[in-house]
Amino acid sequence: MKKMVLLASSLLIPLAFAATPKGNAAKGKTFFEATCSGCHGEGALGGVGPKLAGKLKKWTFAGFKKTLKENVTPDKRKLGPPMMKFNLSDQEYADLLAYLKSLK
Ligand code: HEC
């Protein structure tokens, strides 16, 4: 029985980690420049949309995904236009977040 539990948990742990893909900041930068920087500015320094550089250091993947997908931030603010809902792949969210976290 103990062996079964151990086996089950050793199978589950890698699955739990696989749910959050590892972000690639270089790909995130390319995506950001094509899709977000028109509003959030070069290097996410702000424009029509708020500055994001240096502000997302503590954001989790889940919180960031919900912000883009549903326009609700981790501290429960509802974002309005011109911010839009972005339905992306988990890899794309992870890449964007890795890029934004890399900014000072
Ligand atoms: C058409 C303009 C526009 C585009 C394009 C846009 N945003 Fe925004 N974004 C905004 C505005 C304006 C706000 C603030 C909305 C509010 O406070 O109601 C915002 C808010 C945000 C916030 C919340 C910041 C905070 O904590 O207050 C994040 C994160 C964000 N945008 C990320 C992105 C990302 C990533 C992209 C590209 C995939 C993107 N945005 C594309 C205009 C835009």
Side-chain angles (χ1 to χ4, degrees), residues 31-32 35-36 39-40 48-50 52 56 59 64 67-68 73 77-84 86 88 96 100:
F31 195 107
F32 188 88
T35 314
C36 322
C39 289
H40 288 281
V48 176
L52 301 174
L56 273 55
W59 283 37
F64 183 70
T67 302
L68 290 199
T73 62
R77 279 175 297 120
K78 267 191 183 298
L79 300 175
M83 180 57 186
M84 302 174 274
F86 291 93
L88 310 176
L96 275 171
L100 290 169

mmCIF file of all heavy atoms in Angstrom, residues 31-32 35-36 39-40 48-50 52 56 59 64 67-68 73 77-84 86 88 96 100, ligand 1:
data_model
loop_
_atom_site.group_PDB
_atom_site.id
_atom_site.type_symbol
_atom_site.label_atom_id
_atom_site.label_comp_id
_atom_site.label_asym_id
_atom_site.label_seq_id
_atom_site.Cartn_x
_atom_site.Cartn_y
_atom_site.Cartn_z
ATOM 1 N N PHE A 31 6.778 38.368 -28.895
ATOM 2 C CA PHE A 31 5.308 38.391 -28.829
ATOM 3 C C PHE A 31 4.831 39.731 -28.280
ATOM 4 O O PHE A 31 3.913 40.348 -28.815
ATOM 5 C CB PHE A 31 4.825 37.237 -27.938
ATOM 6 C CG PHE A 31 3.353 36.936 -28.093
ATOM 7 C CD1 PHE A 31 2.932 35.799 -28.762
ATOM 8 C CD2 PHE A 31 2.389 37.786 -27.564
ATOM 9 C CE1 PHE A 31 1.572 35.523 -28.910
ATOM 10 C CE2 PHE A 31 1.034 37.516 -27.707
ATOM 11 C CZ PHE A 31 0.632 36.378 -28.384
ATOM 12 N N PHE A 32 5.468 40.192 -27.221
ATOM 13 C CA PHE A 32 5.066 41.449 -26.584
ATOM 14 C C PHE A 32 5.192 42.608 -27.562
ATOM 15 O O PHE A 32 4.289 43.440 -27.677
ATOM 16 C CB PHE A 32 5.927 41.721 -25.339
ATOM 17 C CG PHE A 32 5.428 42.893 -24.532
ATOM 18 C CD1 PHE A 32 4.480 42.723 -23.540
ATOM 19 C CD2 PHE A 32 5.883 44.185 -24.792
ATOM 20 C CE1 PHE A 32 3.980 43.803 -22.821
ATOM 21 C CE2 PHE A 32 5.396 45.273 -24.080
ATOM 22 C CZ PHE A 32 4.446 45.081 -23.083
ATOM 23 N N THR A 35 2.358 42.439 -30.098
ATOM 24 C CA THR A 35 0.963 42.438 -29.657
ATOM 25 C C THR A 35 0.642 43.438 -28.555
ATOM 26 O O THR A 35 -0.474 43.950 -28.488
ATOM 27 C CB THR A 35 0.592 41.018 -29.157
ATOM 28 O OG1 THR A 35 1.076 40.080 -30.106
ATOM 29 C CG2 THR A 35 -0.900 40.842 -28.986
ATOM 30 N N CYS A 36 1.573 43.743 -27.694
ATOM 31 C CA CYS A 36 1.263 44.515 -26.492
ATOM 32 C C CYS A 36 1.929 45.888 -26.451
ATOM 33 O O CYS A 36 1.404 46.805 -25.813
ATOM 34 C CB CYS A 36 1.699 43.753 -25.240
ATOM 35 S SG CYS A 36 1.438 41.968 -25.305
ATOM 36 N N CYS A 39 0.364 49.496 -26.896
ATOM 37 C CA CYS A 39 -0.302 50.150 -25.764
ATOM 38 C C CYS A 39 0.605 50.271 -24.545
ATOM 39 O O CYS A 39 0.571 51.272 -23.843
ATOM 40 C CB CYS A 39 -1.547 49.373 -25.359
ATOM 41 S SG CYS A 39 -2.881 49.517 -26.563
ATOM 42 N N HIS A 40 1.363 49.224 -24.259
ATOM 43 C CA HIS A 40 2.153 49.230 -23.020
ATOM 44 C C HIS A 40 3.550 49.800 -23.218
ATOM 45 O O HIS A 40 4.319 49.862 -22.256
ATOM 46 C CB HIS A 40 2.213 47.818 -22.423
ATOM 47 C CG HIS A 40 0.900 47.401 -21.823
ATOM 48 N ND1 HIS A 40 0.470 47.815 -20.587
ATOM 49 C CD2 HIS A 40 -0.102 46.638 -22.319
ATOM 50 C CE1 HIS A 40 -0.735 47.311 -20.329
ATOM 51 N NE2 HIS A 40 -1.108 46.593 -21.370
ATOM 52 N N VAL A 48 -0.530 54.090 -23.585
ATOM 53 C CA VAL A 48 -1.976 54.094 -23.344
ATOM 54 C C VAL A 48 -2.265 53.169 -22.158
ATOM 55 O O VAL A 48 -3.086 53.450 -21.298
ATOM 56 C CB VAL A 48 -2.735 53.573 -24.593
ATOM 57 C CG1 VAL A 48 -4.219 53.468 -24.324
ATOM 58 C CG2 VAL A 48 -2.451 54.452 -25.787
ATOM 59 N N GLY A 49 -1.585 52.048 -22.154
ATOM 60 C CA GLY A 49 -1.691 51.080 -21.047
ATOM 61 C C GLY A 49 -0.618 51.373 -20.016
ATOM 62 O O GLY A 49 0.383 52.028 -20.319
ATOM 63 N N PRO A 50 -0.817 50.901 -18.782
ATOM 64 C CA PRO A 50 0.149 51.187 -17.721
ATOM 65 C C PRO A 50 1.510 50.531 -17.948
ATOM 66 O O PRO A 50 1.635 49.572 -18.692
ATOM 67 C CB PRO A 50 -0.525 50.615 -16.468
ATOM 68 C CG PRO A 50 -1.503 49.611 -16.954
ATOM 69 C CD PRO A 50 -1.943 50.085 -18.309
ATOM 70 N N LEU A 52 4.374 48.118 -17.240
ATOM 71 C CA LEU A 52 4.355 46.772 -16.667
ATOM 72 C C LEU A 52 5.753 46.369 -16.181
ATOM 73 O O LEU A 52 5.884 45.506 -15.315
ATOM 74 C CB LEU A 52 3.858 45.752 -17.698
ATOM 75 C CG LEU A 52 2.440 45.986 -18.269
ATOM 76 C CD1 LEU A 52 2.154 44.986 -19.378
ATOM 77 C CD2 LEU A 52 1.378 45.903 -17.185
ATOM 78 N N LEU A 56 5.526 43.114 -12.278
ATOM 79 C CA LEU A 56 4.921 41.784 -12.270
ATOM 80 C C LEU A 56 5.824 40.735 -11.631
ATOM 81 O O LEU A 56 5.584 39.539 -11.759
ATOM 82 C CB LEU A 56 4.581 41.355 -13.719
ATOM 83 C CG LEU A 56 3.211 41.791 -14.265
ATOM 84 C CD1 LEU A 56 3.003 43.279 -14.173
ATOM 85 C CD2 LEU A 56 3.018 41.329 -15.688
ATOM 86 N N TRP A 59 4.016 38.096 -9.685
ATOM 87 C CA TRP A 59 2.831 37.480 -10.279
ATOM 88 C C TRP A 59 3.079 36.010 -10.568
ATOM 89 O O TRP A 59 4.138 35.616 -11.033
ATOM 90 C CB TRP A 59 2.465 38.196 -11.581
ATOM 91 C CG TRP A 59 1.781 39.508 -11.367
ATOM 92 C CD1 TRP A 59 2.032 40.430 -10.381
ATOM 93 C CD2 TRP A 59 0.721 40.069 -12.175
ATOM 94 N NE1 TRP A 59 1.193 41.517 -10.535
ATOM 95 C CE2 TRP A 59 0.394 41.324 -11.616
ATOM 96 C CE3 TRP A 59 0.048 39.622 -13.301
ATOM 97 C CZ2 TRP A 59 -0.601 42.137 -12.158
ATOM 98 C CZ3 TRP A 59 -0.937 40.439 -13.845
ATOM 99 C CH2 TRP A 59 -1.262 41.683 -13.271
ATOM 100 N N PHE A 64 -1.368 35.655 -13.903
ATOM 101 C CA PHE A 64 -1.109 36.352 -15.167
ATOM 102 C C PHE A 64 -2.055 35.859 -16.257
ATOM 103 O O PHE A 64 -2.635 36.649 -17.007
ATOM 104 C CB PHE A 64 0.352 36.119 -15.574
ATOM 105 C CG PHE A 64 0.755 36.844 -16.827
ATOM 106 C CD1 PHE A 64 0.879 38.229 -16.852
ATOM 107 C CD2 PHE A 64 1.029 36.137 -17.992
ATOM 108 C CE1 PHE A 64 1.264 38.899 -18.018
ATOM 109 C CE2 PHE A 64 1.416 36.795 -19.161
ATOM 110 C CZ PHE A 64 1.529 38.179 -19.167
ATOM 111 N N THR A 67 -5.428 37.274 -15.785
ATOM 112 C CA THR A 67 -5.441 38.695 -16.148
ATOM 113 C C THR A 67 -5.618 38.858 -17.654
ATOM 114 O O THR A 67 -6.407 39.680 -18.111
ATOM 115 C CB THR A 67 -4.130 39.375 -15.697
ATOM 116 O OG1 THR A 67 -4.001 39.212 -14.293
ATOM 117 C CG2 THR A 67 -4.133 40.856 -16.028
ATOM 118 N N LEU A 68 -4.901 38.057 -18.419
ATOM 119 C CA LEU A 68 -4.993 38.195 -19.875
ATOM 120 C C LEU A 68 -6.258 37.549 -20.424
ATOM 121 O O LEU A 68 -6.902 38.087 -21.316
ATOM 122 C CB LEU A 68 -3.759 37.578 -20.545
ATOM 123 C CG LEU A 68 -2.441 38.331 -20.354
ATOM 124 C CD1 LEU A 68 -1.434 37.911 -21.403
ATOM 125 C CD2 LEU A 68 -2.611 39.828 -20.408
ATOM 126 N N THR A 73 -7.287 40.933 -12.481
ATOM 127 C CA THR A 73 -5.918 40.850 -11.965
ATOM 128 C C THR A 73 -5.864 40.000 -10.687
ATOM 129 O O THR A 73 -6.905 39.749 -10.073
ATOM 130 C CB THR A 73 -5.375 42.260 -11.625
ATOM 131 O OG1 THR A 73 -6.192 42.819 -10.595
ATOM 132 C CG2 THR A 73 -5.394 43.167 -12.842
ATOM 133 N N ARG A 77 -8.831 43.284 -9.529
ATOM 134 C CA ARG A 77 -9.302 44.440 -10.282
ATOM 135 C C ARG A 77 -9.784 43.974 -11.646
ATOM 136 O O ARG A 77 -9.139 43.158 -12.283
ATOM 137 C CB ARG A 77 -8.180 45.457 -10.467
ATOM 138 C CG ARG A 77 -7.969 46.352 -9.251
ATOM 139 C CD ARG A 77 -6.766 47.253 -9.440
ATOM 140 N NE ARG A 77 -5.535 46.470 -9.568
ATOM 141 C CZ ARG A 77 -4.723 46.496 -10.629
ATOM 142 N NH1 ARG A 77 -4.979 47.271 -11.657
ATOM 143 N NH2 ARG A 77 -3.640 45.753 -10.648
ATOM 144 N N LYS A 78 -10.899 44.494 -12.085
ATOM 145 C CA LYS A 78 -11.404 44.188 -13.425
ATOM 146 C C LYS A 78 -10.803 45.202 -14.375
ATOM 147 O O LYS A 78 -10.935 46.406 -14.162
ATOM 148 C CB LYS A 78 -12.926 44.329 -13.444
ATOM 149 C CG LYS A 78 -13.649 43.035 -13.162
ATOM 150 C CD LYS A 78 -15.133 43.215 -13.478
ATOM 151 C CE LYS A 78 -15.955 41.980 -13.160
ATOM 152 N NZ LYS A 78 -15.597 40.802 -13.918
ATOM 153 N N LEU A 79 -10.155 44.722 -15.406
ATOM 154 C CA LEU A 79 -9.555 45.633 -16.374
ATOM 155 C C LEU A 79 -10.569 45.964 -17.452
ATOM 156 O O LEU A 79 -11.335 45.108 -17.881
ATOM 157 C CB LEU A 79 -8.319 45.000 -17.000
ATOM 158 C CG LEU A 79 -7.203 44.627 -16.027
ATOM 159 C CD1 LEU A 79 -6.096 43.900 -16.764
ATOM 160 C CD2 LEU A 79 -6.669 45.837 -15.288
ATOM 161 N N GLY A 80 -10.561 47.205 -17.867
ATOM 162 C CA GLY A 80 -11.491 47.638 -18.907
ATOM 163 C C GLY A 80 -10.756 48.000 -20.183
ATOM 164 O O GLY A 80 -9.533 47.982 -20.231
ATOM 165 N N PRO A 81 -11.528 48.355 -21.218
ATOM 166 C CA PRO A 81 -10.936 48.758 -22.486
ATOM 167 C C PRO A 81 -10.051 49.993 -22.273
ATOM 168 O O PRO A 81 -10.332 50.769 -21.348
ATOM 169 C CB PRO A 81 -12.142 49.118 -23.362
ATOM 170 C CG PRO A 81 -13.354 48.688 -22.625
ATOM 171 C CD PRO A 81 -12.977 48.461 -21.196
ATOM 172 N N PRO A 82 -9.049 50.157 -23.097
ATOM 173 C CA PRO A 82 -8.771 49.368 -24.293
ATOM 174 C C PRO A 82 -8.051 48.045 -24.039
ATOM 175 O O PRO A 82 -7.726 47.354 -24.994
ATOM 176 C CB PRO A 82 -7.895 50.314 -25.126
ATOM 177 C CG PRO A 82 -7.191 51.156 -24.119
ATOM 178 C CD PRO A 82 -8.148 51.323 -22.985
ATOM 179 N N MET A 83 -7.779 47.674 -22.773
ATOM 180 C CA MET A 83 -7.175 46.351 -22.540
ATOM 181 C C MET A 83 -8.164 45.307 -23.039
ATOM 182 O O MET A 83 -9.372 45.458 -22.893
ATOM 183 C CB MET A 83 -6.869 46.169 -21.046
ATOM 184 C CG MET A 83 -6.229 44.836 -20.677
ATOM 185 S SD MET A 83 -4.675 44.507 -21.555
ATOM 186 C CE MET A 83 -4.345 42.835 -21.029
ATOM 187 N N MET A 84 -7.626 44.234 -23.649
ATOM 188 C CA MET A 84 -8.481 43.219 -24.261
ATOM 189 C C MET A 84 -8.227 41.870 -23.617
ATOM 190 O O MET A 84 -7.239 41.686 -22.922
ATOM 191 C CB MET A 84 -8.148 43.103 -25.742
ATOM 192 C CG MET A 84 -8.303 44.388 -26.505
ATOM 193 S SD MET A 84 -7.722 44.170 -28.185
ATOM 194 C CE MET A 84 -5.990 44.500 -28.001
ATOM 195 N N PHE A 86 -7.051 38.158 -24.023
ATOM 196 C CA PHE A 86 -6.145 37.435 -24.916
ATOM 197 C C PHE A 86 -6.213 35.949 -24.609
ATOM 198 O O PHE A 86 -5.825 35.527 -23.526
ATOM 199 C CB PHE A 86 -4.700 37.916 -24.731
ATOM 200 C CG PHE A 86 -4.477 39.317 -25.217
ATOM 201 C CD1 PHE A 86 -4.581 40.394 -24.343
ATOM 202 C CD2 PHE A 86 -4.159 39.567 -26.539
ATOM 203 C CE1 PHE A 86 -4.376 41.703 -24.786
ATOM 204 C CE2 PHE A 86 -3.943 40.864 -26.987
ATOM 205 C CZ PHE A 86 -4.054 41.933 -26.113
ATOM 206 N N LEU A 88 -4.598 32.847 -25.259
ATOM 207 C CA LEU A 88 -3.343 32.343 -25.811
ATOM 208 C C LEU A 88 -3.082 30.923 -25.325
ATOM 209 O O LEU A 88 -3.826 30.395 -24.495
ATOM 210 C CB LEU A 88 -2.196 33.253 -25.358
ATOM 211 C CG LEU A 88 -2.387 34.764 -25.554
ATOM 212 C CD1 LEU A 88 -1.200 35.512 -24.975
ATOM 213 C CD2 LEU A 88 -2.569 35.109 -27.026
ATOM 214 N N LEU A 96 5.453 35.305 -22.213
ATOM 215 C CA LEU A 96 5.204 36.723 -21.940
ATOM 216 C C LEU A 96 5.568 37.066 -20.492
ATOM 217 O O LEU A 96 6.225 38.073 -20.230
ATOM 218 C CB LEU A 96 3.720 37.041 -22.147
ATOM 219 C CG LEU A 96 3.281 37.367 -23.563
ATOM 220 C CD1 LEU A 96 1.756 37.436 -23.629
ATOM 221 C CD2 LEU A 96 3.895 38.682 -24.047
ATOM 222 N N LEU A 100 8.276 39.738 -19.096
ATOM 223 C CA LEU A 100 7.903 40.873 -18.241
ATOM 224 C C LEU A 100 8.626 40.825 -16.894
ATOM 225 O O LEU A 100 9.007 41.852 -16.348
ATOM 226 C CB LEU A 100 6.384 40.920 -18.052
ATOM 227 C CG LEU A 100 5.631 41.320 -19.333
ATOM 228 C CD1 LEU A 100 4.129 41.106 -19.189
ATOM 229 C CD2 LEU A 100 5.927 42.782 -19.705
HETATM 230 C C1 HEC B 1 -5.271 48.324 -26.988
HETATM 231 C C2 HEC B 1 -4.350 48.608 -25.885
HETATM 232 C C3 HEC B 1 -3.774 47.442 -25.096
HETATM 233 C C4 HEC B 1 -3.213 46.290 -25.593
HETATM 234 C C5 HEC B 1 -3.011 45.858 -27.041
HETATM 235 C C6 HEC B 1 -2.761 45.539 -24.447
HETATM 236 N N1 HEC B 1 -3.064 46.198 -23.281
HETATM 237 FE FE1 HEC B 1 -2.736 45.533 -21.394
HETATM 238 N N2 HEC B 1 -3.711 47.149 -20.648
HETATM 239 C C7 HEC B 1 -4.185 48.223 -21.379
HETATM 240 C C8 HEC B 1 -4.844 49.166 -20.484
HETATM 241 C C9 HEC B 1 -5.482 50.500 -20.881
HETATM 242 C C10 HEC B 1 -4.764 48.619 -19.186
HETATM 243 C C11 HEC B 1 -5.357 49.181 -17.900
HETATM 244 C C12 HEC B 1 -6.838 48.824 -17.901
HETATM 245 C C13 HEC B 1 -7.565 49.180 -16.632
HETATM 246 O O1 HEC B 1 -6.911 49.490 -15.607
HETATM 247 O O2 HEC B 1 -8.791 49.085 -16.655
HETATM 248 C C14 HEC B 1 -4.019 47.344 -19.318
HETATM 249 C C15 HEC B 1 -3.712 46.511 -18.265
HETATM 250 C C16 HEC B 1 -2.850 45.421 -18.348
HETATM 251 C C17 HEC B 1 -2.368 44.653 -17.231
HETATM 252 C C18 HEC B 1 -2.704 44.896 -15.760
HETATM 253 C C19 HEC B 1 -1.674 45.788 -15.128
HETATM 254 C C20 HEC B 1 -2.070 46.134 -13.717
HETATM 255 O O3 HEC B 1 -1.607 45.490 -12.781
HETATM 256 O O4 HEC B 1 -2.857 47.077 -13.567
HETATM 257 C C21 HEC B 1 -1.547 43.674 -17.721
HETATM 258 C C22 HEC B 1 -0.768 42.625 -16.946
HETATM 259 C C23 HEC B 1 -1.536 43.833 -19.157
HETATM 260 N N3 HEC B 1 -2.345 44.888 -19.506
HETATM 261 C C24 HEC B 1 -0.800 43.040 -20.000
HETATM 262 C C25 HEC B 1 -0.917 43.088 -21.395
HETATM 263 C C26 HEC B 1 -0.263 42.162 -22.283
HETATM 264 C C27 HEC B 1 0.689 41.044 -21.854
HETATM 265 C C28 HEC B 1 -0.652 42.498 -23.545
HETATM 266 C C29 HEC B 1 -0.319 41.786 -24.844
HETATM 267 C C30 HEC B 1 -0.670 40.380 -24.934
HETATM 268 C C31 HEC B 1 -1.522 43.659 -23.445
HETATM 269 N N4 HEC B 1 -1.666 43.977 -22.119
HETATM 270 C C32 HEC B 1 -2.096 44.316 -24.518
HETATM 271 C C33 HEC B 1 -4.111 48.356 -22.763
HETATM 272 C C34 HEC B 1 -3.679 47.382 -23.637
#
